Amino acid sequence: QVQLVESGGGLVQTGGSLRLSCAATGNVGRVNAMGWSRQAPGKRRESVATISSGGTIKYADPVKGRFTISRDNAKNTVYLQMNSLKPEDTAVYNCDANVRPMGLVVDLDYRGQGTQVTVSS
């Protein structure tokens, strides 16, 4: 069983910073792309940032220049550094990963339980 364990959410004022972490644990054979998505109340889920196993990065337009995604392949961990936070960044942030579990020959998509980020004005 593969699990994504997230940490780092919380409450911050406008202009503040937070750092999210997510580790893929359990029966992990290989971790492919990792990323973060978010969903605010009453809104559709949106991809925030993704990073491939080779380091190719994509950001959603609303977070470009403010958020930085990175990963530590040795730890199967992805990070999201969020700076200059705005109230519109308030959402539940989920870690997403495409993983090949040990013993399988297929890649599966996993999502973490989510961590709340609240930015006060």
Side-chain angles (χ1 to χ4, degrees):
Q1 186 78 319
V2 172
Q3 292 182 327
L4 301 182
V5 181
E6 302 153 339
S7 62
L11 173 65
V12 66
Q13 292 185 332
T14 296
S17 298
L18 285 173
R19 187 184 193 223
L20 306 182
S21 300
C22 170
T25 65
N27 192 38
V28 176
R30 181 184 72 205
V31 181
N32 301 313
M34 304 185 81
W36 295 89
S37 59
R38 67 186 182 185
Q39 188 167 24
K43 295 188 177 181
R44 298 176 63 179
R45 177 173 297 279
E46 63 174 343
S47 175
V48 175
T50 61
I51 182 168
S52 72
S53 57
T56 300
I57 291 172
K58 295 182 180 179
Y59 293 105
D61 286 342
V63 308
K64 285 180 179 178
R66 300 187 298 120
F67 290 9
T68 301
I69 190 171
S70 61
R71 66 188 286 171
D72 184 334
N73 290 331
K75 296 180 180 179
N76 291 331
T77 298
V78 64
Y79 306 95
L80 186 68
Q81 177 67 43
M82 304 185 293
N83 298 329
S84 302
L85 282 160
K86 305 174 181 180
E88 50 264 43
D89 294 318
T90 296
V92 174
Y93 284 70
N94 295 90
C95 173
D96 300 296
N98 183 263
V99 177
R100 178 163 297 189
M102 285 191 292
L104 298 186
V105 295
V106 294
D107 298 326
L108 302 176
D109 292 324
Y110 295 88
R111 173 165 288 160
Q113 79 285 356
T115 184
Q116 178 69 45
V117 171
T118 302
V119 185
S120 63
S121 57

